[in-house]
Amino acid sequence: EEMRNHEEVVQAAVSQNGLALEYASPRLREKTETVLAALGQNPDAIHHVLPIVRDDHRMMAFGQERRPCLLEMLSERPRPMALKMALARIRMFVEPLLKETKTSWEDARFVLRKMNSLAELQGAVDDPKAFIDSLNKRQDDMGREWVIATLRFRLEPLAAEQDLWWDEMVPVLKSCSRKELLQAQENGKRFLETINNKTRGETAQLLAIAKLRRPFSRVLPVGLPWADVVPALHKVETLKELQNAREAPDLLMWKMSNAQQEWPPAVLYSFLRLRPKMEPKLTELVPGVMWEDFVKSLQVLDPMELHQASQSLYRFLQLLEIYPADPPGRWWFIARLRPHIELALDTQGNTWEEAVEMMFEMDPAFDLKPAIHEPLVFCEQLAEGPQHLRWKTTLRPEELKAELRKAAEDG
């Protein structure tokens, strides 16, 4: 039963044989990515799709089309859902090429989701090799992220030898020049030696922070994860102080805990350090609210307000409910909404980060607070995604023809 509900296992199975969808759990037999992968491999898999999804005839047609035209078949969908469906379909075309370079689909998908053009994504269907080649040649931020994704198989084992996790390496790599990343493709070991020898700059600073994970794990308060402290370490101004902390992490911890509030790392740490004390009470009072969301309500408080909130969490939560229009109240209702809407957001293609961006612009008293009682209705308001990321979701016939013609010419 566990295997039937394991997304990676089921995804791999239906990618090889679409009819394997029959043995997936009901949850996965209605999940967009799984259904489209199965239909793309074998159109007859439609018989194993749950009726609630099978009734979406346009989605079924899109999944069964051998070489789907993304612009033509997805133009009427909101951007988040159209992008979700497009990525689900192009996977079968590009994944064999990704395996040749030992790049995982999940790493690739994270980058491709930032491609804000169905016409560009169409290239993955029409000519997968040329599509991958174009990503390798990109000079913009997406090109940088793509190179980093392809470097993982080469650099992750070498980084592990230095006790560095991949998640810690990604910010370091993003700070590197394209020339340095190309060097990493040629010789990963030499690349790591080069950045380890840097004595100034952003890359050296980020690498110094990454190297503090193990030393800091010995001195962190119980219940305070390493990831929580990292933002405070980013506020430390000198590379020397970060490097010295490898030998004396307790000294830097003491300084962040006791320094004057004007010191930026101490200011930020004053909020972060409250987690061990407040999180258990928060979980008890409001189950489902995540600390990572709630702490944003604390970060807009002045020192006196923060002290009062830490002394009486129950009273603080009462005030947030009474005054939703205040800055802490806005973040509180966003935090409260997450357990109610996150699954529905994923179903319609939204990321939580994009949803937060939209909710932050809404009225806390008239939009966010009432949404607690009608979360699914509220979710529909987020379906289009942030305004600045939207593409045209409903094209007039002449516009669609122009887009298709342009895509054909570019191809």
PDB file of all heavy atoms in Angstrom, residues 173-209:
ATOM      1  N   LEU A 173      27.233  28.661  -5.024  1.00  0.00           N
ATOM      2  CA  LEU A 173      27.377  28.541  -6.476  1.00  0.00           C
ATOM      3  C   LEU A 173      26.672  29.685  -7.205  1.00  0.00           C
ATOM      4  O   LEU A 173      27.158  30.163  -8.233  1.00  0.00           O
ATOM      5  CB  LEU A 173      26.825  27.195  -6.950  1.00  0.00           C
ATOM      6  CG  LEU A 173      27.568  25.959  -6.431  1.00  0.00           C
ATOM      7  CD1 LEU A 173      26.836  24.686  -6.808  1.00  0.00           C
ATOM      8  CD2 LEU A 173      28.994  25.926  -6.956  1.00  0.00           C
ATOM      9  N   LYS A 174      25.549  30.134  -6.669  1.00  0.00           N
ATOM     10  CA  LYS A 174      24.836  31.245  -7.306  1.00  0.00           C
ATOM     11  C   LYS A 174      25.655  32.532  -7.283  1.00  0.00           C
ATOM     12  O   LYS A 174      25.445  33.420  -8.115  1.00  0.00           O
ATOM     13  CB  LYS A 174      23.486  31.473  -6.621  1.00  0.00           C
ATOM     14  CG  LYS A 174      22.435  30.433  -6.959  1.00  0.00           C
ATOM     15  CD  LYS A 174      21.099  30.763  -6.307  1.00  0.00           C
ATOM     16  CE  LYS A 174      20.027  29.766  -6.693  1.00  0.00           C
ATOM     17  NZ  LYS A 174      18.722  30.063  -6.054  1.00  0.00           N
ATOM     18  N   SER A 175      26.569  32.628  -6.337  1.00  0.00           N
ATOM     19  CA  SER A 175      27.395  33.832  -6.243  1.00  0.00           C
ATOM     20  C   SER A 175      28.611  33.780  -7.162  1.00  0.00           C
ATOM     21  O   SER A 175      29.319  34.773  -7.325  1.00  0.00           O
ATOM     22  CB  SER A 175      27.870  34.031  -4.797  1.00  0.00           C
ATOM     23  OG  SER A 175      28.849  33.051  -4.437  1.00  0.00           O
ATOM     24  N   CYS A 176      28.866  32.628  -7.766  1.00  0.00           N
ATOM     25  CA  CYS A 176      30.033  32.458  -8.630  1.00  0.00           C
ATOM     26  C   CYS A 176      29.760  33.003 -10.029  1.00  0.00           C
ATOM     27  O   CYS A 176      28.622  33.065 -10.483  1.00  0.00           O
ATOM     28  CB  CYS A 176      30.420  30.978  -8.723  1.00  0.00           C
ATOM     29  SG  CYS A 176      30.989  30.263  -7.173  1.00  0.00           S
ATOM     30  N   SER A 177      30.828  33.370 -10.693  1.00  0.00           N
ATOM     31  CA  SER A 177      30.710  33.844 -12.081  1.00  0.00           C
ATOM     32  C   SER A 177      30.457  32.662 -13.004  1.00  0.00           C
ATOM     33  O   SER A 177      30.696  31.501 -12.644  1.00  0.00           O
ATOM     34  CB  SER A 177      31.996  34.551 -12.502  1.00  0.00           C
ATOM     35  OG  SER A 177      33.060  33.612 -12.580  1.00  0.00           O
ATOM     36  N   ARG A 178      29.970  32.967 -14.190  1.00  0.00           N
ATOM     37  CA  ARG A 178      29.734  31.887 -15.170  1.00  0.00           C
ATOM     38  C   ARG A 178      31.044  31.193 -15.512  1.00  0.00           C
ATOM     39  O   ARG A 178      31.075  29.967 -15.687  1.00  0.00           O
ATOM     40  CB  ARG A 178      29.084  32.464 -16.437  1.00  0.00           C
ATOM     41  CG  ARG A 178      28.777  31.384 -17.478  1.00  0.00           C
ATOM     42  CD  ARG A 178      27.965  31.916 -18.629  1.00  0.00           C
ATOM     43  NE  ARG A 178      27.729  30.877 -19.621  1.00  0.00           N
ATOM     44  CZ  ARG A 178      26.789  29.940 -19.549  1.00  0.00           C
ATOM     45  NH1 ARG A 178      25.986  29.911 -18.497  1.00  0.00           N
ATOM     46  NH2 ARG A 178      26.638  29.044 -20.496  1.00  0.00           N
ATOM     47  N   LYS A 179      32.124  31.952 -15.585  1.00  0.00           N
ATOM     48  CA  LYS A 179      33.426  31.366 -15.894  1.00  0.00           C
ATOM     49  C   LYS A 179      33.814  30.344 -14.824  1.00  0.00           C
ATOM     50  O   LYS A 179      34.331  29.267 -15.134  1.00  0.00           O
ATOM     51  CB  LYS A 179      34.478  32.473 -15.971  1.00  0.00           C
ATOM     52  CG  LYS A 179      35.873  31.979 -16.321  1.00  0.00           C
ATOM     53  CD  LYS A 179      36.858  33.135 -16.417  1.00  0.00           C
ATOM     54  CE  LYS A 179      38.264  32.620 -16.741  1.00  0.00           C
ATOM     55  NZ  LYS A 179      39.242  33.736 -16.830  1.00  0.00           N
ATOM     56  N   GLU A 180      33.554  30.684 -13.563  1.00  0.00           N
ATOM     57  CA  GLU A 180      33.868  29.760 -12.465  1.00  0.00           C
ATOM     58  C   GLU A 180      33.009  28.497 -12.542  1.00  0.00           C
ATOM     59  O   GLU A 180      33.487  27.390 -12.282  1.00  0.00           O
ATOM     60  CB  GLU A 180      33.682  30.457 -11.122  1.00  0.00           C
ATOM     61  CG  GLU A 180      34.738  31.519 -10.837  1.00  0.00           C
ATOM     62  CD  GLU A 180      34.419  32.325  -9.598  1.00  0.00           C
ATOM     63  OE1 GLU A 180      33.223  32.636  -9.379  1.00  0.00           O
ATOM     64  OE2 GLU A 180      35.354  32.672  -8.861  1.00  0.00           O
ATOM     65  N   LEU A 181      31.725  28.667 -12.894  1.00  0.00           N
ATOM     66  CA  LEU A 181      30.840  27.503 -13.001  1.00  0.00           C
ATOM     67  C   LEU A 181      31.267  26.591 -14.141  1.00  0.00           C
ATOM     68  O   LEU A 181      31.171  25.368 -14.041  1.00  0.00           O
ATOM     69  CB  LEU A 181      29.393  27.962 -13.191  1.00  0.00           C
ATOM     70  CG  LEU A 181      28.755  28.692 -11.993  1.00  0.00           C
ATOM     71  CD1 LEU A 181      27.347  29.146 -12.336  1.00  0.00           C
ATOM     72  CD2 LEU A 181      28.738  27.786 -10.761  1.00  0.00           C
ATOM     73  N   LEU A 182      31.741  27.187 -15.225  1.00  0.00           N
ATOM     74  CA  LEU A 182      32.237  26.370 -16.338  1.00  0.00           C
ATOM     75  C   LEU A 182      33.496  25.612 -15.916  1.00  0.00           C
ATOM     76  O   LEU A 182      33.725  24.473 -16.341  1.00  0.00           O
ATOM     77  CB  LEU A 182      32.521  27.248 -17.558  1.00  0.00           C
ATOM     78  CG  LEU A 182      31.275  27.881 -18.217  1.00  0.00           C
ATOM     79  CD1 LEU A 182      31.681  28.790 -19.372  1.00  0.00           C
ATOM     80  CD2 LEU A 182      30.311  26.805 -18.693  1.00  0.00           C
ATOM     81  N   GLN A 183      34.301  26.253 -15.063  1.00  0.00           N
ATOM     82  CA  GLN A 183      35.478  25.567 -14.527  1.00  0.00           C
ATOM     83  C   GLN A 183      35.049  24.363 -13.686  1.00  0.00           C
ATOM     84  O   GLN A 183      35.673  23.306 -13.725  1.00  0.00           O
ATOM     85  CB  GLN A 183      36.306  26.523 -13.665  1.00  0.00           C
ATOM     86  CG  GLN A 183      37.517  25.853 -13.019  1.00  0.00           C
ATOM     87  CD  GLN A 183      38.158  26.697 -11.924  1.00  0.00           C
ATOM     88  OE1 GLN A 183      37.682  27.785 -11.606  1.00  0.00           O
ATOM     89  NE2 GLN A 183      39.239  26.206 -11.346  1.00  0.00           N
ATOM     90  N   ALA A 184      33.950  24.529 -12.945  1.00  0.00           N
ATOM     91  CA  ALA A 184      33.441  23.443 -12.121  1.00  0.00           C
ATOM     92  C   ALA A 184      32.996  22.263 -12.977  1.00  0.00           C
ATOM     93  O   ALA A 184      33.108  21.101 -12.564  1.00  0.00           O
ATOM     94  CB  ALA A 184      32.283  23.938 -11.261  1.00  0.00           C
ATOM     95  N   GLN A 185      32.476  22.552 -14.183  1.00  0.00           N
ATOM     96  CA  GLN A 185      32.075  21.475 -15.082  1.00  0.00           C
ATOM     97  C   GLN A 185      33.286  20.676 -15.555  1.00  0.00           C
ATOM     98  O   GLN A 185      33.207  19.463 -15.755  1.00  0.00           O
ATOM     99  CB  GLN A 185      31.335  22.053 -16.293  1.00  0.00           C
ATOM    100  CG  GLN A 185      29.932  22.565 -15.966  1.00  0.00           C
ATOM    101  CD  GLN A 185      29.219  23.098 -17.195  1.00  0.00           C
ATOM    102  OE1 GLN A 185      29.833  23.741 -18.046  1.00  0.00           O
ATOM    103  NE2 GLN A 185      27.926  22.846 -17.281  1.00  0.00           N
ATOM    104  N   GLU A 186      34.400  21.358 -15.718  1.00  0.00           N
ATOM    105  CA  GLU A 186      35.606  20.699 -16.226  1.00  0.00           C
ATOM    106  C   GLU A 186      36.358  19.950 -15.130  1.00  0.00           C
ATOM    107  O   GLU A 186      36.851  18.848 -15.344  1.00  0.00           O
ATOM    108  CB  GLU A 186      36.527  21.744 -16.872  1.00  0.00           C
ATOM    109  CG  GLU A 186      35.910  22.423 -18.090  1.00  0.00           C
ATOM    110  CD  GLU A 186      36.767  23.572 -18.587  1.00  0.00           C
ATOM    111  OE1 GLU A 186      37.860  23.786 -18.014  1.00  0.00           O
ATOM    112  OE2 GLU A 186      36.341  24.262 -19.535  1.00  0.00           O
ATOM    113  N   ASN A 187      36.428  20.582 -13.948  1.00  0.00           N
ATOM    114  CA  ASN A 187      37.194  19.978 -12.862  1.00  0.00           C
ATOM    115  C   ASN A 187      36.609  20.433 -11.526  1.00  0.00           C
ATOM    116  O   ASN A 187      36.958  21.488 -11.007  1.00  0.00           O
ATOM    117  CB  ASN A 187      38.671  20.387 -12.964  1.00  0.00           C
ATOM    118  CG  ASN A 187      39.564  19.577 -12.021  1.00  0.00           C
ATOM    119  OD1 ASN A 187      39.193  19.284 -10.884  1.00  0.00           O
ATOM    120  ND2 ASN A 187      40.744  19.217 -12.498  1.00  0.00           N
ATOM    121  N   GLY A 188      35.712  19.619 -10.989  1.00  0.00           N
ATOM    122  CA  GLY A 188      35.016  20.008  -9.760  1.00  0.00           C
ATOM    123  C   GLY A 188      35.951  20.173  -8.577  1.00  0.00           C
ATOM    124  O   GLY A 188      35.791  21.088  -7.764  1.00  0.00           O
ATOM    125  N   LYS A 189      36.943  19.295  -8.466  1.00  0.00           N
ATOM    126  CA  LYS A 189      37.863  19.367  -7.327  1.00  0.00           C
ATOM    127  C   LYS A 189      38.669  20.658  -7.344  1.00  0.00           C
ATOM    128  O   LYS A 189      38.835  21.327  -6.315  1.00  0.00           O
ATOM    129  CB  LYS A 189      38.794  18.159  -7.355  1.00  0.00           C
ATOM    130  CG  LYS A 189      39.621  18.001  -6.094  1.00  0.00           C
ATOM    131  CD  LYS A 189      40.371  16.668  -6.113  1.00  0.00           C
ATOM    132  CE  LYS A 189      41.150  16.475  -4.810  1.00  0.00           C
ATOM    133  NZ  LYS A 189      41.880  15.185  -4.800  1.00  0.00           N
ATOM    134  N   ARG A 190      39.159  21.025  -8.517  1.00  0.00           N
ATOM    135  CA  ARG A 190      39.939  22.258  -8.624  1.00  0.00           C
ATOM    136  C   ARG A 190      39.057  23.477  -8.350  1.00  0.00           C
ATOM    137  O   ARG A 190      39.501  24.452  -7.733  1.00  0.00           O
ATOM    138  CB  ARG A 190      40.572  22.366 -10.014  1.00  0.00           C
ATOM    139  CG  ARG A 190      41.496  23.567 -10.182  1.00  0.00           C
ATOM    140  CD  ARG A 190      42.055  23.626 -11.588  1.00  0.00           C
ATOM    141  NE  ARG A 190      42.777  22.397 -11.907  1.00  0.00           N
ATOM    142  CZ  ARG A 190      43.176  22.074 -13.130  1.00  0.00           C
ATOM    143  NH1 ARG A 190      42.895  22.871 -14.158  1.00  0.00           N
ATOM    144  NH2 ARG A 190      43.837  20.956 -13.338  1.00  0.00           N
ATOM    145  N   PHE A 191      37.822  23.415  -8.803  1.00  0.00           N
ATOM    146  CA  PHE A 191      36.880  24.524  -8.547  1.00  0.00           C
ATOM    147  C   PHE A 191      36.699  24.736  -7.046  1.00  0.00           C
ATOM    148  O   PHE A 191      36.754  25.871  -6.558  1.00  0.00           O
ATOM    149  CB  PHE A 191      35.539  24.219  -9.210  1.00  0.00           C
ATOM    150  CG  PHE A 191      34.410  25.083  -8.723  1.00  0.00           C
ATOM    151  CD1 PHE A 191      34.284  26.392  -9.156  1.00  0.00           C
ATOM    152  CD2 PHE A 191      33.472  24.580  -7.813  1.00  0.00           C
ATOM    153  CE1 PHE A 191      33.246  27.204  -8.690  1.00  0.00           C
ATOM    154  CE2 PHE A 191      32.436  25.375  -7.360  1.00  0.00           C
ATOM    155  CZ  PHE A 191      32.327  26.688  -7.794  1.00  0.00           C
ATOM    156  N   LEU A 192      36.488  23.652  -6.291  1.00  0.00           N
ATOM    157  CA  LEU A 192      36.299  23.786  -4.847  1.00  0.00           C
ATOM    158  C   LEU A 192      37.556  24.323  -4.176  1.00  0.00           C
ATOM    159  O   LEU A 192      37.484  25.106  -3.223  1.00  0.00           O
ATOM    160  CB  LEU A 192      35.902  22.444  -4.243  1.00  0.00           C
ATOM    161  CG  LEU A 192      34.480  21.968  -4.575  1.00  0.00           C
ATOM    162  CD1 LEU A 192      34.219  20.609  -3.938  1.00  0.00           C
ATOM    163  CD2 LEU A 192      33.433  22.966  -4.095  1.00  0.00           C
ATOM    164  N   GLU A 193      38.716  23.923  -4.669  1.00  0.00           N
ATOM    165  CA  GLU A 193      39.964  24.452  -4.128  1.00  0.00           C
ATOM    166  C   GLU A 193      40.047  25.954  -4.362  1.00  0.00           C
ATOM    167  O   GLU A 193      40.472  26.716  -3.476  1.00  0.00           O
ATOM    168  CB  GLU A 193      41.161  23.752  -4.778  1.00  0.00           C
ATOM    169  CG  GLU A 193      41.329  22.304  -4.364  1.00  0.00           C
ATOM    170  CD  GLU A 193      42.440  21.605  -5.148  1.00  0.00           C
ATOM    171  OE1 GLU A 193      43.009  22.250  -6.059  1.00  0.00           O
ATOM    172  OE2 GLU A 193      42.718  20.435  -4.856  1.00  0.00           O
ATOM    173  N   THR A 194      39.602  26.383  -5.550  1.00  0.00           N
ATOM    174  CA  THR A 194      39.654  27.811  -5.892  1.00  0.00           C
ATOM    175  C   THR A 194      38.776  28.643  -4.972  1.00  0.00           C
ATOM    176  O   THR A 194      39.210  29.669  -4.438  1.00  0.00           O
ATOM    177  CB  THR A 194      39.207  28.023  -7.353  1.00  0.00           C
ATOM    178  OG1 THR A 194      40.090  27.313  -8.226  1.00  0.00           O
ATOM    179  CG2 THR A 194      39.218  29.509  -7.714  1.00  0.00           C
ATOM    180  N   ILE A 195      37.529  28.217  -4.759  1.00  0.00           N
ATOM    181  CA  ILE A 195      36.642  29.027  -3.921  1.00  0.00           C
ATOM    182  C   ILE A 195      37.018  28.918  -2.439  1.00  0.00           C
ATOM    183  O   ILE A 195      36.781  29.852  -1.668  1.00  0.00           O
ATOM    184  CB  ILE A 195      35.158  28.670  -4.138  1.00  0.00           C
ATOM    185  CG1 ILE A 195      34.856  27.219  -3.735  1.00  0.00           C
ATOM    186  CG2 ILE A 195      34.749  28.931  -5.587  1.00  0.00           C
ATOM    187  CD1 ILE A 195      33.373  26.890  -3.786  1.00  0.00           C
ATOM    188  N   ASN A 196      37.645  27.803  -2.054  1.00  0.00           N
ATOM    189  CA  ASN A 196      38.112  27.674  -0.666  1.00  0.00           C
ATOM    190  C   ASN A 196      39.258  28.634  -0.365  1.00  0.00           C
ATOM    191  O   ASN A 196      39.460  29.029   0.792  1.00  0.00           O
ATOM    192  CB  ASN A 196      38.563  26.242  -0.383  1.00  0.00           C
ATOM    193  CG  ASN A 196      37.427  25.360   0.118  1.00  0.00           C
ATOM    194  OD1 ASN A 196      36.735  25.701   1.059  1.00  0.00           O
ATOM    195  ND2 ASN A 196      37.218  24.223  -0.533  1.00  0.00           N
ATOM    196  N   ASN A 197      39.976  29.019  -1.398  1.00  0.00           N
ATOM    197  CA  ASN A 197      41.126  29.911  -1.219  1.00  0.00           C
ATOM    198  C   ASN A 197      40.756  31.385  -1.317  1.00  0.00           C
ATOM    199  O   ASN A 197      41.633  32.247  -1.157  1.00  0.00           O
ATOM    200  CB  ASN A 197      42.214  29.581  -2.249  1.00  0.00           C
ATOM    201  CG  ASN A 197      42.873  28.237  -1.977  1.00  0.00           C
ATOM    202  OD1 ASN A 197      42.972  27.809  -0.829  1.00  0.00           O
ATOM    203  ND2 ASN A 197      43.313  27.562  -3.032  1.00  0.00           N
ATOM    204  N   LYS A 198      39.489  31.680  -1.582  1.00  0.00           N
ATOM    205  CA  LYS A 198      39.082  33.083  -1.688  1.00  0.00           C
ATOM    206  C   LYS A 198      39.146  33.756  -0.317  1.00  0.00           C
ATOM    207  O   LYS A 198      38.770  33.155   0.699  1.00  0.00           O
ATOM    208  CB  LYS A 198      37.664  33.194  -2.248  1.00  0.00           C
ATOM    209  CG  LYS A 198      37.576  32.866  -3.735  1.00  0.00           C
ATOM    210  CD  LYS A 198      36.239  33.291  -4.310  1.00  0.00           C
ATOM    211  CE  LYS A 198      36.217  33.124  -5.821  1.00  0.00           C
ATOM    212  NZ  LYS A 198      35.016  33.709  -6.444  1.00  0.00           N
ATOM    213  N   THR A 199      39.616  34.994  -0.302  1.00  0.00           N
ATOM    214  CA  THR A 199      39.773  35.722   0.961  1.00  0.00           C
ATOM    215  C   THR A 199      38.860  36.937   1.065  1.00  0.00           C
ATOM    216  O   THR A 199      38.914  37.656   2.060  1.00  0.00           O
ATOM    217  CB  THR A 199      41.230  36.193   1.120  1.00  0.00           C
ATOM    218  OG1 THR A 199      41.584  37.024  -0.014  1.00  0.00           O
ATOM    219  CG2 THR A 199      42.183  35.005   1.200  1.00  0.00           C
ATOM    220  N   ARG A 200      38.042  37.143   0.062  1.00  0.00           N
ATOM    221  CA  ARG A 200      37.094  38.266   0.110  1.00  0.00           C
ATOM    222  C   ARG A 200      35.940  37.986  -0.844  1.00  0.00           C
ATOM    223  O   ARG A 200      35.999  37.059  -1.648  1.00  0.00           O
ATOM    224  CB  ARG A 200      37.774  39.585  -0.253  1.00  0.00           C
ATOM    225  CG  ARG A 200      38.243  39.653  -1.697  1.00  0.00           C
ATOM    226  CD  ARG A 200      38.745  41.041  -2.055  1.00  0.00           C
ATOM    227  NE  ARG A 200      39.994  41.323  -1.377  1.00  0.00           N
ATOM    228  CZ  ARG A 200      41.194  41.053  -1.872  1.00  0.00           C
ATOM    229  NH1 ARG A 200      41.290  40.480  -3.073  1.00  0.00           N
ATOM    230  NH2 ARG A 200      42.283  41.338  -1.229  1.00  0.00           N
ATOM    231  N   GLY A 201      34.887  38.778  -0.708  1.00  0.00           N
ATOM    232  CA  GLY A 201      33.765  38.675  -1.637  1.00  0.00           C
ATOM    233  C   GLY A 201      32.623  37.815  -1.119  1.00  0.00           C
ATOM    234  O   GLY A 201      32.726  37.136  -0.088  1.00  0.00           O
ATOM    235  N   GLU A 202      31.524  37.848  -1.867  1.00  0.00           N
ATOM    236  CA  GLU A 202      30.301  37.165  -1.462  1.00  0.00           C
ATOM    237  C   GLU A 202      30.481  35.650  -1.399  1.00  0.00           C
ATOM    238  O   GLU A 202      29.985  34.994  -0.478  1.00  0.00           O
ATOM    239  CB  GLU A 202      29.168  37.517  -2.434  1.00  0.00           C
ATOM    240  CG  GLU A 202      27.824  36.928  -2.042  1.00  0.00           C
ATOM    241  CD  GLU A 202      26.732  37.227  -3.056  1.00  0.00           C
ATOM    242  OE1 GLU A 202      27.048  37.739  -4.149  1.00  0.00           O
ATOM    243  OE2 GLU A 202      25.554  36.922  -2.753  1.00  0.00           O
ATOM    244  N   THR A 203      31.189  35.086  -2.367  1.00  0.00           N
ATOM    245  CA  THR A 203      31.372  33.636  -2.380  1.00  0.00           C
ATOM    246  C   THR A 203      32.105  33.166  -1.130  1.00  0.00           C
ATOM    247  O   THR A 203      31.708  32.171  -0.498  1.00  0.00           O
ATOM    248  CB  THR A 203      32.159  33.205  -3.631  1.00  0.00           C
ATOM    249  OG1 THR A 203      31.445  33.618  -4.804  1.00  0.00           O
ATOM    250  CG2 THR A 203      32.344  31.698  -3.673  1.00  0.00           C
ATOM    251  N   ALA A 204      33.160  33.873  -0.747  1.00  0.00           N
ATOM    252  CA  ALA A 204      33.917  33.513   0.451  1.00  0.00           C
ATOM    253  C   ALA A 204      33.039  33.620   1.697  1.00  0.00           C
ATOM    254  O   ALA A 204      33.109  32.776   2.601  1.00  0.00           O
ATOM    255  CB  ALA A 204      35.140  34.411   0.579  1.00  0.00           C
ATOM    256  N   GLN A 205      32.197  34.660   1.732  1.00  0.00           N
ATOM    257  CA  GLN A 205      31.318  34.871   2.879  1.00  0.00           C
ATOM    258  C   GLN A 205      30.311  33.722   3.004  1.00  0.00           C
ATOM    259  O   GLN A 205      30.094  33.172   4.094  1.00  0.00           O
ATOM    260  CB  GLN A 205      30.575  36.204   2.701  1.00  0.00           C
ATOM    261  CG  GLN A 205      29.915  36.735   3.947  1.00  0.00           C
ATOM    262  CD  GLN A 205      30.782  37.732   4.681  1.00  0.00           C
ATOM    263  OE1 GLN A 205      31.934  37.932   4.305  1.00  0.00           O
ATOM    264  NE2 GLN A 205      30.251  38.355   5.720  1.00  0.00           N
ATOM    265  N   LEU A 206      29.681  33.367   1.895  1.00  0.00           N
ATOM    266  CA  LEU A 206      28.677  32.302   1.908  1.00  0.00           C
ATOM    267  C   LEU A 206      29.294  30.944   2.228  1.00  0.00           C
ATOM    268  O   LEU A 206      28.690  30.124   2.930  1.00  0.00           O
ATOM    269  CB  LEU A 206      27.957  32.254   0.555  1.00  0.00           C
ATOM    270  CG  LEU A 206      27.066  33.461   0.233  1.00  0.00           C
ATOM    271  CD1 LEU A 206      26.604  33.415  -1.219  1.00  0.00           C
ATOM    272  CD2 LEU A 206      25.861  33.500   1.165  1.00  0.00           C
ATOM    273  N   LEU A 207      30.477  30.700   1.711  1.00  0.00           N
ATOM    274  CA  LEU A 207      31.146  29.432   1.998  1.00  0.00           C
ATOM    275  C   LEU A 207      31.537  29.344   3.477  1.00  0.00           C
ATOM    276  O   LEU A 207      31.422  28.280   4.096  1.00  0.00           O
ATOM    277  CB  LEU A 207      32.389  29.292   1.111  1.00  0.00           C
ATOM    278  CG  LEU A 207      33.110  27.943   1.160  1.00  0.00           C
ATOM    279  CD1 LEU A 207      32.168  26.805   0.776  1.00  0.00           C
ATOM    280  CD2 LEU A 207      34.335  27.948   0.254  1.00  0.00           C
ATOM    281  N   ALA A 208      31.961  30.464   4.035  1.00  0.00           N
ATOM    282  CA  ALA A 208      32.305  30.488   5.460  1.00  0.00           C
ATOM    283  C   ALA A 208      31.086  30.171   6.320  1.00  0.00           C
ATOM    284  O   ALA A 208      31.193  29.453   7.330  1.00  0.00           O
ATOM    285  CB  ALA A 208      32.882  31.851   5.832  1.00  0.00           C
ATOM    286  N   ILE A 209      29.919  30.674   5.935  1.00  0.00           N
ATOM    287  CA  ILE A 209      28.685  30.377   6.672  1.00  0.00           C
ATOM    288  C   ILE A 209      28.346  28.894   6.552  1.00  0.00           C
ATOM    289  O   ILE A 209      27.993  28.239   7.535  1.00  0.00           O
ATOM    290  CB  ILE A 209      27.525  31.255   6.148  1.00  0.00           C
ATOM    291  CG1 ILE A 209      27.767  32.719   6.510  1.00  0.00           C
ATOM    292  CG2 ILE A 209      26.182  30.782   6.717  1.00  0.00           C
ATOM    293  CD1 ILE A 209      26.785  33.691   5.876  1.00  0.00           C
TER     294      ILE A 209
END
